[in-house]
Amino acid sequence: MVATQFHEQYRLQYHFTPPQNWTNDPNGLVYYKGEYHLFYQHNPFGTKWGHMSWGHAVSPDLVHWTNLPVAIAEGNGIMIFSGSAVVDQQNSSGLCKSDDPKDPSCLIAIYAGHTESLQTQNIAFSNDKGRTWTKYPGNPVIDLHLKDFRDPKVMWYEPAKQWIMATAVSQEKKIRFFSSTDLIHWKQLSDFGPEGATAGVWECPDLNELPVEGTNEMRWVLVVNINPGGIAGGSGGQYFVGKFDGAKFVNDNPPTTQLWLDYGKDYYAAISFFGGPPKDSRVHMLGWYSNWLYANDTPEITWRGAMAMPRTMTLKKTAQGIRLFQQPVKEFEELRTQVYSLRNLTTDQINQRFDRDGLKGNTLELEAEIAPRDAKDFGVSVLRGGAQETVIGVKTDAKQVYVDRTKSGDVGFNKDFPSRDAGPIHVGDSVKLHVYVDWSGVEVYANDGETTLAERVFPGLDSQGVTFFSNSPNTRVKTVKVWRLKSTWK
């Protein structure tokens, strides 16, 4: 039964999906005692949105996930909406019941409780590494008597030795900050917004301090997810770079500047993990691999919804200012098999080799560095078969990288699904494309993560071809490597 379960048509092979039923936002991302925890918005009773509870899975490496029972279930008419989790290292809450005198810690989850007329902030605690949870009897811990007040993301602010919570006052397009010393009693600090993109409601904030690569500087990154009004239409994620003093976030850029996490259609509700293994300072982010425009209609059968690949976030100085770069976590390299490598050939020569050697697949990783020369449009087409293909290309005049999924397979389930989505890219003597292909999705990381595009696609089982293209015969593929990727499901 298990083997069949993870081999259904469209079942992603190395992106997280629940065994069955609905999923949306990632929640409670936390590392604790050798395990990464992924909680997620989940309907235990069906494949469409409803009965929001926290599903649960754990992983040693952010790649291989073990599914666990529902962690925090709806109850007393209150749905368990999005939120976060932290390691209460010193038992500041008084809710940890450890037998180890050297380690008084436990896990605390912070979530929005939802009814039709009210959203409040609540906590739950676990003293068995997240396997069972108890809702705090004094909930809610914050009640502002608001209908739209959700998605608490909690972090530890070391300079003031206190917890900081970022929440979304959604309709007002504001992020509201609170502080606490015990995760139970919270003090309101300040609001940020509206700034950046404001066409939809604000949701799922995230706040992190990151080093600026190659400098001694640090900056804070505030992620704000927005629905609708995303760059590709529907839901999407934006970010702000600035300073945070423990009470207030100040944007480095003009209020009208819009910076996007991802230019594809399917990257939403992205938040970061709290903590990580010792001596691992990387900051990882995980997003929902769908879009509210059509999430309830996608053609999966027994489950619906997925997570994008976990990404490592870095800040770099660019000509435009400090910007966020994103790469898949390096642990995905463990899935690589059968590397296929070519150098310094035209696109036609590459395709002849691919044909000769029968290179194709629907779980692939492809890295290419391409010198466009005089080409105006070039790239690679994947998941090809019959009239189906998903096209990843670069327009040199527009300085854009794009994904065209208008002929990617089943595109008829919702009018908003067929799309060609594009993001800005620096076009020099060469362009780097890093493409991940899964059974029902592609993710593109251009120029070492300068621009990313996450897109679901629903191709036929036989659509597995790979072909390079260019509108100029002078284009050279300087290097290309293709790996088959192993499935992460046992």
Side-chain angles (χ1 to χ4, degrees):
M1 173 61 192
V2 174
T4 315
Q5 184 175 43
F6 281 92
H7 283 82
E8 307 97 330
Q9 186 177 9
Y10 306 137
R11 176 70 83 166
L12 293 150
Q13 293 299 297
Y14 57 88
H15 289 77
F16 176 82
T17 50
Q20 58 194 33
N21 296 328
W22 167 273
T23 181
N24 57 290
D25 307 3
N27 299 149
L29 306 181
V30 64
Y31 180 87
Y32 187 54
K33 295 188 174 178
E35 292 178 320
Y36 291 95
H37 291 259
L38 161 60
F39 302 92
Y40 53 91
Q41 289 289 278
H42 183 54
N43 179 358
F45 307 110
T47 56
K48 295 200 172 187
W49 186 93
H51 298 287
M52 283 297 102
S53 302
W54 276 23
H56 190 196
V58 292
S59 171
D61 60 4
L62 292 167
V63 176
H64 300 86
W65 294 94
T66 300
N67 288 290
L68 295 173
V70 168
I72 308 176
E74 74 169 335
N76 301 322
I78 299 171
M79 287 197 209
I80 312 301
F81 265 33
S82 289
S84 51
V86 298
V87 180
D88 187 2
Q89 201 71 55
Q90 302 301 326
N91 190 19
S92 67
S93 63
L95 298 171
C96 304
K97 302 286 180 269
S98 171
D99 296 328
D100 182 353
K102 292 183 184 164
D103 181 5
S105 68
C106 67
L107 288 174
I108 305 287
I110 309 95
Y111 63 90
H114 168 86
T115 68
E116 284 304 307
S117 58
L118 184 67
Q119 291 181 344
T120 60
Q121 312 314 323
N122 302 263
I123 63 174
F125 55 95
S126 172
N127 280 293
D128 57 3
K129 291 175 65 179
R131 272 34 181 202
T132 59
W133 291 84
T134 303
K135 293 171 186 169
Y136 175 60
N139 280 333
V141 294
I142 308 178
D143 181 1
L144 301 184
H145 310 292
L146 292 173
K147 185 172 185 258
D148 292 289
F149 171 49
R150 54 184 174 269
D151 312 331
K153 183 65 165 72
V154 173
M155 55 158 286
W156 177 253
Y157 185 71
E158 181 62 26
K161 298 279 191 287
Q162 61 186 8
W163 301 100
I164 298 293
M165 180 196 294
T167 60
V169 187
S170 298
Q171 296 292 350
E172 295 179 33
K173 306 170 207 303
K174 288 179 180 174
I175 302 305
R176 185 160 293 170
F177 296 102
F178 298 82
S179 66
S180 174
T181 55
D182 62 4
L183 293 163
I184 295 168
H185 303 92
W186 294 89
K187 173 185 159 195
Q188 190 167 319
L189 298 172
S190 65
D191 285 359
F192 171 79
E195 295 189 24
T198 57
V201 300
W202 280 19
E203 296 189 313
C204 302
D206 187 81
L207 184 64
N208 268 293
E209 190 178 30
L210 293 170
V212 181
E213 240 177 51
T215 75
N216 295 321
E217 296 178 60
M218 303 287 289
R219 282 294 187 283
W220 288 83
V221 176
L222 175 64
V223 169
V224 177
N225 291 274
I226 178 173
N227 176 46
I231 186 65
S235 44
Q238 63 177 322
Y239 70 94
F240 301 89
V241 177
K243 298 177 181 68
F244 181 73
D245 63 2
K248 189 174 186 188
F249 178 85
V250 178
N251 187 3
D252 273 2
N253 295 296
T256 52
T257 302
Q258 296 183 8
L259 305 176
W260 295 97
L261 280 179
D262 193 280
Y263 288 84
K265 204 92 164 205
D266 295 311
Y267 195 72
Y268 191 59
I271 59 169
S272 62
F273 281 82
F274 181 96
K279 297 182 180 167
D280 184 352
S281 61
R282 296 175 297 166
V283 174
H284 301 313
M285 175 161 275
L286 186 63
W288 178 43
Y289 202 16
S290 194
N291 190 306
W292 279 118
L293 286 172
Y294 43 75
N296 277 291
D297 303 327
T298 53
E300 304 102 324
I301 304 300
T302 56
W303 84 102
R304 188 174 273 120
M307 298 299 157
M309 298 169 75
R311 301 175 178 185
T312 303
M313 303 161 68
T314 52
L315 288 176
K316 296 184 184 180
K317 279 200 164 162
T318 72
Q320 290 75 41
I322 296 170
R323 295 292 184 265
L324 190 63
F325 282 62
Q326 303 167 79
Q327 295 273 33
V329 297
K330 68 177 192 293
E331 285 81 350
F332 277 100
E333 293 174 9
E334 297 167 22
L335 302 181
R336 292 172 172 174
T337 62
Q338 298 170 286
V339 65
Y340 183 94
S341 182
L342 298 170
R343 302 176 70 84
N344 202 29
L345 297 170
T346 66
T347 52
D348 284 347
Q349 289 169 331
I350 293 266
N351 293 337
Q352 286 163 16
R353 298 282 187 94
F354 282 3
D355 286 345
R356 183 192 75 189
D357 299 332
L359 181 84
K360 58 184 183 178
N362 57 4
T363 49
L364 298 175
E365 177 188 356
L366 180 148
E367 269 189 330
E369 185 173 357
I370 306 169
R373 308 263 172 101
D374 56 348
K376 299 286 186 280
D377 186 17
F378 65 92
V380 62
S381 164
V382 298
L383 296 171
R384 292 170 61 86
Q388 294 183 6
E389 62 174 345
T390 298
V391 182
I392 297 112
V394 175
K395 290 277 193 188
T396 53
D397 285 357
K399 294 184 171 57
Q400 284 187 330
V401 57
Y402 67 88
V403 174
D404 186 334
R405 64 176 184 188
T406 53
K407 299 176 184 169
S408 58
D410 184 353
V411 298
F413 56 86
N414 184 292
K415 68 176 175 54
D416 291 311
F417 183 79
S419 64
R420 179 191 175 282
D421 307 305
I425 190 178
H426 175 72
V427 179
D429 293 336
S430 64
V431 170
K432 292 181 185 174
L433 292 178
H434 193 176
V435 179
Y436 285 82
V437 179
D438 205 342
W439 281 16
S440 63
V442 296
E443 292 196 41
V444 179
Y445 299 81
N447 286 348
D448 301 316
E450 172 193 16
T451 301
T452 65
L453 297 100
E455 304 265 355
R456 292 297 303 277
V457 291
F458 299 96
L461 291 170
D462 296 329
S463 297
Q464 299 192 20
V466 181
T467 302
F468 278 85
F469 68 90
S470 174
N471 70 347
S472 163
N474 299 319
T475 298
R476 304 292 288 191
V477 181
K478 293 168 77 173
T479 60
V480 60
K481 288 182 178 177
V482 184
W483 295 267
R484 296 189 188 285
L485 299 181
K486 292 178 284 196
S487 173
T488 58
W489 304 115
K490 289 191 174 79

